[in-house]
């Protein structure tokens, strides 16, 4: 059984003390493919180091995270652009809009999102969308940019069934992680109405640990709990869900 974690910050400071052990736990659990989103330029070297240590398993994205869109966002976007032209990445991400923490830079977040979508199109890459309390703003931009060259993953999808269908209409897969195991997560109430061909698995580690680890540091091995939950929701064996969601990830990332 090959499991794919389509969104995991393995280079995070949260893993400084035990990154090697954490990776081994995930590999032992059957997680063989890790897609690693960027945050900003300060993490680029850590990402490259991680890839060098796990060249068969780790696949990097490049992008500017919306919560890191600040006064220097144009320099950060130049960094993204430079690296995308320099070497192979598997997606532009994570990108999007976050109105949960701070709305000060909404205009700049919107500008950065559009700019990075267009970079993804230029390099024929998928995007990994971060959407927090910003569905309307995200959909407005996706509507403007939609087309055959726009595709990717709606990372950490936590919307309604209606919002799920709208996300799918823009050639997106839904990234499903720990939230589906939360008592108040809500998406478990309708997720099995979405065909599995539209679903990929993720952890977003070190964030959003699934039950029973909720509130603790998340790690990629915990994706097993997400797999168990989907197995229950869809009434299908875990092996089958792992296989389908891994195939879906191959369709998106091309590997």
């Amino acid at each position: 059984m090959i499991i794919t974690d389509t969104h995991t910050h393995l280079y995070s400071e949260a893993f400084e003390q035990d990154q090697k052990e954490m990776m081994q736990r995930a590999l032992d659990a059957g997680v063989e493919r890790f897609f690693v989103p960027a945050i900003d330029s300060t993490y680029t070297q850590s990402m490259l180091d991680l890839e060098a240590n796990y060249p068969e398993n780790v696949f990097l994205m490049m992008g500017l995270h919306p919560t890191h869109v600040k006064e220097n966002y144009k320099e950060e976007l130049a960094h993204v652009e430079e690296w995308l032209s320099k070497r192979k990445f598997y997606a532009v991400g994570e990108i999007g809009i976050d109105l949960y923490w701070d709305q000060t830079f909404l205009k700049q977040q919107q500008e950065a999102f559009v700019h990075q979508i267009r970079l993804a199109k230029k390099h024929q890459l998928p995007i990994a969308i971060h959407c927090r309390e910003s569905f309307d703003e995200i959909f407005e931009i996706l509507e403007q940019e939609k087309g055959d060259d726009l595709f990717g993953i709606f990372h950490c999808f936590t919307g309604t069934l209606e919002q799920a269908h709208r996300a799918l209409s823009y050639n997106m897969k839904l990234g499903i992680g720990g939230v589906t195991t939360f008592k108040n997560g809500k998406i478990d109430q309708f997720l099995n109405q979405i065909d599995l061909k539209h679903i990929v698995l993720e952890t977003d580690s070190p964030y959003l640990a699934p039950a029973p680890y909720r509130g603790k540091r998340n790690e990629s091995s915990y994706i097993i709990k997400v797999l168990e939950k989907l197995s229950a929701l869809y009434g299908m064996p875990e092996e089958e869900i792992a296989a389908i969601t891994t195939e879906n990830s191959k369709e998106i990332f091309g590997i």
Side-chain angles (χ1 to χ4, degrees):
M1 179 168 74
I2 296 175
I3 305 167
T4 302
D5 188 346
T6 60
H7 199 107
T8 177
H9 300 271
L10 300 169
Y11 54 86
S12 165
E13 296 92 338
F15 301 122
E16 257 174 7
Q17 303 304 313
D18 65 343
Q19 187 189 68
K20 192 175 177 185
E21 294 82 354
M22 175 272 297
M23 288 295 292
Q24 195 56 53
R25 284 193 291 273
L27 292 165
D28 290 345
V31 191
E32 292 186 22
R33 294 152 49 81
F34 306 85
F35 289 86
V36 177
I39 293 175
D40 66 17
S41 61
T42 65
Y43 290 97
T44 303
Q45 191 56 53
S46 304
M47 292 171 66
L48 295 170
D49 292 345
L50 178 77
E51 178 192 52
N53 290 332
Y54 300 92
E56 301 297 311
N57 308 98
V58 165
F59 307 96
L60 302 183
M61 308 183 203
M62 177 51 61
L64 175 61
H65 192 294
T67 62
H68 287 244
V69 172
K70 306 294 182 191
E71 290 88 348
N72 70 335
Y73 78 104
K74 289 195 172 169
E75 294 163 40
E76 286 289 339
L77 290 175
H79 175 84
V80 170
E81 206 159 340
E82 179 192 350
W83 274 96
L84 285 171
S85 63
K86 198 187 288 193
R87 51 150 287 165
K88 171 74 176 165
F89 289 93
Y90 294 89
V92 176
E94 68 190 272
I95 64 175
I97 298 172
D98 188 307
L99 298 181
Y100 176 78
W101 294 109
D102 186 3
Q103 302 189 15
T104 311
F105 293 98
L106 171 58
K107 185 174 177 294
Q108 292 86 345
Q109 284 191 43
Q110 289 166 318
E111 189 184 320
F113 187 31
V114 170
H115 183 76
Q116 292 181 99
I117 286 173
R118 292 177 182 172
L119 283 177
K121 290 177 175 180
K122 177 184 170 184
H123 292 279
Q124 298 178 305
L125 291 173
I127 59 173
I129 298 175
H130 174 105
C131 172
R132 194 159 186 199
E133 299 200 354
S134 57
F135 275 104
D136 291 345
E137 291 79 5
I138 292 279
F139 284 145
E140 186 181 342
I141 289 172
L142 294 180
E143 183 63 31
Q144 166 195 312
E145 296 293 326
K146 68 183 177 184
D148 293 341
D149 54 353
L150 175 70
F151 65 107
I153 295 172
F154 225 100
H155 147 63
C156 188
F157 183 79
T158 55
T160 62
L161 180 59
E162 183 186 1
Q163 287 166 331
H165 284 305
R166 186 155 183 202
L168 298 178
S169 77
Y170 297 116
N171 298 327
M172 298 294 147
K173 304 275 190 222
L174 304 183
I176 302 300
V179 174
T180 197
T181 70
F182 296 174
K183 283 193 171 71
N184 60 349
K186 295 182 182 167
I187 60 168
D188 60 321
Q189 294 168 19
F190 65 79
L191 193 60
N192 62 5
Q193 295 176 52
I194 306 281
D195 194 306
L196 258 181
K197 70 182 180 185
H198 301 305
I199 303 291
V200 292
L201 304 183
E202 61 167 64
T203 58
D204 198 22
S205 55
Y207 315 107
L208 293 172
Y213 308 108
R214 189 174 183 181
K216 300 190 170 106
R217 183 189 78 171
N218 198 6
E219 56 179 75
S220 282
S221 63
Y222 295 171
I223 204 166
I224 294 296
K225 294 298 175 187
V226 181
L227 194 56
E228 287 171 4
K229 182 68 176 183
L230 264 63
S231 175
L233 289 174
Y234 283 91
M236 291 168 65
E238 290 170 28
E239 291 78 7
E240 197 173 341
I241 288 175
I244 293 169
T245 52
T246 286
E247 279 307 309
N248 296 344
S249 75
K250 289 178 181 176
E251 186 189 324
I252 290 289
F253 295 116
I255 187 165

